[in-house]
Amino acid sequence: MSQRIEWIDCWKGLAIITVVVGHIVNPGSKYIFWFHMPLFFFISGYLYSKKTDYSAFFKKKFFHLLVPYFSFLFLFTLLQYLPLIIDSWQQKKILSIDKLIIFIFPVIWKQFYGGANLVLWFGVFWFITCLFFTQQLYNLIYIKFGSNNWLMIKIMLGSYCLAMMNYFYLKNVIFPWSINVVAMALPFYWLGHMAAKSFLINSKILILLIIGTIIFLTAILLDAVSLMHFNFNMKSTNYGVLILNVFIALSSIVVTQQLALILDNKSYVGTALRELGSASMIVMYLHQPIQITMKNYPIFAIQGIRVIGALIISYIIYKIIFNYSIMRQLFLGDFSTPNAILSRKSTSQ
């Protein structure tokens, strides 16, 4: 595995930790929400490379993102609703197939509609569909207009304006698969792609870490003393203060990127973060069911224990999934040949 990929896995490791912490730890989660999902779109954009074969790109991302999406959606829905259906049937609350269909149909529709409708165990599913549409739209835009930098800037500003209009005027409208959030995700994806071409963000530069940290801590201080009330939640299209939402998110993204470059060279910490980074999508799916289940037991209800438990258990399950081809296909969207898997393992050692 190349040095570049290693530190990016470290970066993804930091990113998934912020997601898990943001969903468990209070107070303080508000501030993590300012940047943790923009960070994932930024990293995805950083890794983007132009694909002129639209159908091949669509197929690749469909298998990589949507096959695991539907696999986990089906699995979690079954785990949550099957016991309820069996119990209702046994208690004769559901006496016929017609009533069973009437009971199940709203559930199926809600799950299929996705987006902000999905909560608790399914709370992060919106991100997967939003990322899929963001990647497809960006690839199309970049192939058509990528050579014109000024036009790309105008397109991204237009996308950002659409996102803010959604926030101001259609905030309470729930769109299927969170396709509306693409308008906010697209600029962060583009910024990530542009950053990949910059020597600044590819290098350890202490001043960037210091400036980013100062900006983020200043924003926290201003919010804490009520001089600035700032919220940012991409899932609910609560985008907060115009311009500042991007500025604060970018400052935090730079901080995490610089930390990734620094920590990647620290043997134990870097290795742990890279391993989490490689498992980030599985952790994304599994951390909510795990930590919500742990919360039901007083001995595991402490926030710190739930964070550690969600990360470790998710990672263990990832390693199990990775070792079985059918599970890799269903839950990782990995349809690589056995030889490709062996090659990947050998280069990562």
Side-chain angles (χ1 to χ4, degrees), residues 283-344:
V283 179
M284 182 77 77
Y285 279 114
L286 294 182
H287 77 276
Q288 283 287 62
I290 292 170
Q291 72 93 5
I292 289 171
T293 302
M294 291 177 69
K295 193 176 181 180
N296 294 328
Y297 300 91
I299 192 173
F300 299 123
I302 298 171
Q303 292 180 355
I305 292 177
R306 281 189 285 139
V307 169
I308 295 171
L311 289 170
I312 292 176
I313 295 172
S314 296
Y315 177 73
I316 292 172
I317 294 174
Y318 161 76
K319 298 300 284 187
I320 294 171
I321 289 172
F322 190 83
N323 284 313
Y324 297 92
S325 60
I326 185 64
M327 296 180 73
R328 280 201 310 272
Q329 292 169 3
L330 288 174
F331 299 111
L332 289 171
D334 187 346
F335 290 79
S336 303
T337 62
N339 288 338
I341 297 296
L342 289 173
S343 175
R344 190 187 312 164

Side-chain angles (χ1 to χ4, degrees), residues 167-324:
Y167 167 56
F168 289 128
Y169 303 112
L170 296 172
K171 185 177 179 180
N172 296 320
V173 177
I174 297 177
F175 288 77
W177 288 20
S178 289
I179 56 173
N180 56 319
V181 185
V182 172
M184 180 58 77
L186 203 61
F188 285 112
Y189 194 92
W190 169 69
L191 287 168
H193 184 207
M194 294 300 101
K197 303 176 180 181
S198 169
F199 75 94
L200 288 176
I201 202 167
N202 289 306
S203 308
K204 281 185 283 188
I205 302 177
L206 183 61
I207 191 63
L208 289 179
L209 177 62
I210 294 172
I211 292 173
T213 302
I214 290 173
I215 291 171
F216 186 64
L217 292 179
T218 301
I220 292 176
L221 179 62
L222 292 174
D223 183 80
V225 299
S226 300
L227 290 178
M228 178 191 75
H229 294 287
F230 183 72
N231 292 292
F232 189 86
N233 187 328
M234 291 187 74
K235 179 181 179 180
S236 61
T237 61
N238 183 356
Y239 297 139
V241 182
L242 189 70
I243 306 300
L244 281 179
N245 47 18
V246 175
F247 191 62
I248 293 173
L250 283 178
S251 70
S252 308
I253 288 169
V254 169
V255 170
T256 60
Q257 184 271 343
Q258 288 294 305
L259 285 175
L261 283 169
I262 294 170
L263 295 174
D264 184 55
N265 294 322
K266 310 298 181 183
S267 57
Y268 295 111
V269 176
T271 299
L273 287 173
R274 288 194 297 273
E275 287 294 313
L276 276 178
S278 66
S280 59
M281 293 306 286
I282 293 297
V283 179
M284 182 77 77
Y285 279 114
L286 294 182
H287 77 276
Q288 283 287 62
I290 292 170
Q291 72 93 5
I292 289 171
T293 302
M294 291 177 69
K295 193 176 181 180
N296 294 328
Y297 300 91
I299 192 173
F300 299 123
I302 298 171
Q303 292 180 355
I305 292 177
R306 281 189 285 139
V307 169
I308 295 171
L311 289 170
I312 292 176
I313 295 172
S314 296
Y315 177 73
I316 292 172
I317 294 174
Y318 161 76
K319 298 300 284 187
I320 294 171
I321 289 172
F322 190 83
N323 284 313
Y324 297 92

Side-chain angles (χ1 to χ4, degrees), residues 24 32 85 149 193:
I24 297 176
I32 294 176
I85 293 171
N149 291 332
H193 184 207

